[in-house]
Amino acid sequence: MSTAIACAALLSVTALAQETFRVDAKEVLIPVTVTGKDKKFLEGLEPGDFTVLDGGKLKRPRVEPMDAANVRVAIVVAVQLNDIAAPALAKIRKTGSLIQPLLVGEGGRAALIGFGDRLELIEDFTPVGGVIAEAFEKLQPQRPTTADFDQFDARRARFIDAVIKGANMLARRPSTERRILLVIGETRD
């Protein structure tokens, strides 16, 4: 019996390992801090002062200051809502008011999805910080609906589904936006 369970577990892990997740990146951020021998920061460096290789081929870097105010952000926040995450939800609810001013900024947009036994879009992309903050305040652990009562598992978390949904949502955003996927969930899944 235990051999059959081990074989079934091995087959399911093998099936998961064969799935491929690919994302094309037109731009890759490379944060750089340069210090001299005296450990002090070097300032005033230009793009020509850096060498960037991609697959052994020389690429010309584009340098932007860290405080570039013209960059718009699109963020999807995925929050775990099953019973395991329930004790943390009181703290998580309070973080919603920080999304707009600290992560999204002026002209950006945020969306909120929940995952547990099922995946749910709680709030689609909105530029209004108050809407996201309010959606966070209303977060509740998932409970079975009448349609899924027999199959509902309060311990299950659809983490990978949430990441895929968030990535797909971000893929539909304009390429001029910086796209961020923030997952808030249990470390053990």
Side-chain angles (χ1 to χ4, degrees):
M1 178 72 169
S2 62
T3 305
I5 292 172
C7 287
L10 182 60
L11 287 173
S12 64
V13 169
T14 305
L16 281 176
Q18 292 175 354
E19 290 192 29
T20 304
F21 181 74
R22 295 181 199 267
V23 176
D24 290 329
K26 294 179 183 154
E27 180 177 56
V28 177
L29 299 179
I30 307 172
V32 176
T33 302
V34 181
T35 58
K37 290 179 183 177
D38 59 358
K39 306 286 187 211
K40 292 185 180 179
F41 294 109
L42 295 179
E43 296 184 24
L45 297 172
E46 300 292 327
D49 297 325
F50 296 92
T51 301
V52 179
L53 301 175
D54 181 12
K57 295 180 182 176
L58 185 64
K59 296 289 183 179
R60 171 175 249 156
R62 186 179 85 217
V63 177
E64 290 184 16
M66 286 296 290
D67 60 348
N70 59 348
V71 178
R72 293 194 175 174
V73 171
I75 184 169
V76 173
V77 182
V79 179
Q80 185 172 346
L81 298 178
N82 62 355
D83 280 353
I84 293 170
L89 276 179
K91 293 177 183 175
I92 294 169
R93 283 186 202 105
K94 296 176 185 176
T95 64
S97 62
L98 303 174
I99 300 295
Q100 184 70 29
L102 297 181
L103 296 176
V104 177
E106 189 73 29
R109 295 179 181 273
L112 179 62
I113 56 178
F115 65 96
D117 185 71
R118 62 186 170 273
L119 194 60
E120 56 186 287
L121 176 62
I122 297 170
E123 187 63 50
D124 206 348
F125 285 105
T126 177
V128 183
V131 172
I132 289 295
E134 188 175 313
F136 264 82
E137 289 171 10
K138 293 179 181 177
L139 288 175
Q140 294 294 324
Q142 288 183 341
R143 302 286 180 234
T145 63
T146 53
D148 67 2
F149 189 80
D150 293 337
Q151 292 85 28
F152 186 81
D153 184 348
R155 296 163 298 166
R156 185 175 7 188
R158 299 179 69 143
F159 175 84
I160 294 173
D161 294 336
V163 169
I164 291 170
K165 178 160 182 70
N168 287 335
M169 290 171 68
L170 290 167
R172 292 190 294 271
R173 300 297 307 160
S175 62
T176 55
E177 293 179 340
R178 289 247 167 91
R179 294 169 261 188
I180 301 169
L181 176 58
L182 172 62
V183 180
I184 302 172
E186 177 66 31
T187 57
R188 298 171 306 240
D189 187 15

